[in-house]
């Protein structure tokens, strides 16, 4: 943990959304894999999970064009988004215990997600979590560069009026942890989502800079007390 992340008492908790607040990653990654296969990208779900969890759609499509030589046809992104939202409508759930944990924080909280604003607010509404954050929901669409760059977390901290060194970020992806550390923020890695069955200890998140790993929101109060 660098010096910038130890010079302030904790004043804000910033939550990623997908894979942290909502158990959406198994659904969205499956839709993305199916969509990519449909346009001729030879990629499986495990590879999509490893490479693209926590990454914005523009970054994903740039990666596909560069490394697979496939340029998505017009309307591809919109189709995948629509298919994902339709699946969310029937299957999306909040993480177990997250609503109670956020309500009991005793600190300001906000959301900072790579999801586009429509999907983000739709997901939080479906799962009943939006009232916990109100207007304090920020998307990578509001900044120039998405994760793994620090722009979104710095933007969220500025909007919330809290210095970066006083922020704790809860993330489930390497790009997200990398972004938070680059912003000079403390990071706790969450591995309770359905996509983390391959590595519940969160070794990738630790290597990226997460100071603590937890998989159950009943532990959040302890994480915050020790941050």
């Amino acid at each position: 943990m660098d010096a910038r992340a130890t010079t302030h008492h904790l004043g804000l908790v910033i939550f990623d959304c997908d894979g942290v607040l909502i158990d959406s990653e198994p659904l969205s990654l499956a839709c993305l894999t199916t969509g990519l296969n449909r346009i001729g990208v030879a990629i499986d779900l495990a590879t999509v999970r490893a490479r693209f969890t926590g990454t914005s759609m523009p970054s994903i499509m740039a990666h596909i064009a560069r490394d697979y030589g496939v340029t998505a046809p017009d309307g591809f992104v919109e189709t995948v988004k629509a298919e994902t939202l339709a699946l969310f409508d029937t299957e999306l759930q909040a993480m177990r215990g997250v609503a109670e944990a956020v309500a009991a924080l005793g600190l300001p909280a906000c959301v900072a997600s790579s999801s586009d604003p429509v999907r983000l607010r739709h997901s939080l509404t479906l799962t009943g979590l939006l009232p916990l954050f109100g207007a304090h929901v920020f998307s990578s669409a509001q900044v120039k560069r998405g994760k793994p760059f620090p722009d979104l977390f710095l933007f969220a901290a500025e909007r919330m009026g809290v210095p970066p060194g006083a922020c704790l970020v809860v993330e489930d992806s390497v790009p997200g942890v990398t972004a938070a550390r680059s912003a000079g923020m403390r990071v706790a890695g969450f591995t309770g989502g359905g996509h983390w069955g391959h590595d519940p200890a969160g070794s990738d998140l630790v290597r990226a800079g997460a100071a603590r790993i937890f998989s159950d929101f009943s532990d959040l109060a302890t994480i915050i007390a020790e941050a």
Side-chain angles (χ1 to χ4, degrees):
M1 194 171 295
D2 64 35
R4 292 176 299 170
T6 60
T7 55
H8 298 275
H9 293 296
L10 191 63
L12 173 67
V13 182
I14 303 176
F15 293 91
D16 179 39
C17 183
D18 295 285
V20 172
L21 297 175
I22 58 175
D23 201 8
S24 56
E25 292 292 12
L27 306 178
S28 58
L29 293 173
C31 284
L32 177 59
T33 303
T34 299
L36 290 173
N37 293 164
R38 197 163 56 223
I39 63 171
V41 180
I43 193 169
D44 59 21
L45 179 59
T47 304
V48 169
R49 182 187 65 213
R51 294 186 180 180
F52 301 138
T53 298
T55 305
S56 66
M57 204 62 159
S59 296
I60 292 171
M61 299 322 299
H63 179 106
I64 292 298
R66 182 183 69 245
D67 292 355
Y68 290 85
V70 176
T71 299
D74 290 344
F76 171 78
V77 171
E78 290 72 18
T79 297
V80 170
K81 287 181 178 180
E83 291 170 349
T84 302
L85 289 179
L87 189 58
F88 281 9
D89 285 343
T90 58
E91 298 191 29
L92 185 63
Q93 296 184 7
M95 290 294 178
R96 182 170 60 87
V98 68
E100 296 81 0
V102 174
L105 276 180
L107 285 170
C110 68
V111 179
S113 169
S114 293
S115 289
D116 68 80
V118 172
R119 169 176 157 169
L120 182 54
R121 299 192 76 84
H122 183 69
S123 299
L124 293 172
T125 299
L126 278 175
T127 53
L129 299 178
L130 186 60
L132 292 170
F133 300 100
H136 302 149
V137 177
F138 308 110
S139 163
S140 60
Q142 296 174 277
V143 296
K144 183 176 181 180
R145 304 177 301 177
K147 305 170 189 178
F149 296 100
D151 303 31
L152 177 57
F153 289 129
L154 292 173
F155 176 78
E158 181 181 14
R159 291 290 295 270
M160 297 295 291
V162 178
C167 298
L168 172 68
V169 175
V170 182
E171 263 287 356
D172 71 307
S173 73
V174 169
V177 173
T178 302
R181 297 299 294 126
S182 296
M185 299 178 180
R186 289 164 270 194
V187 190
F190 179 72
T191 61
H195 63 300
W196 266 106
H198 65 293
D199 183 19
S203 55
D204 288 346
L205 303 183
V206 172
R207 283 192 292 269
R212 294 287 302 274
I213 301 295
F214 72 109
S215 61
D216 194 307
F217 271 99
S218 64
D219 296 325
L220 183 60
T222 300
I223 295 289
I224 289 173
E226 297 177 353

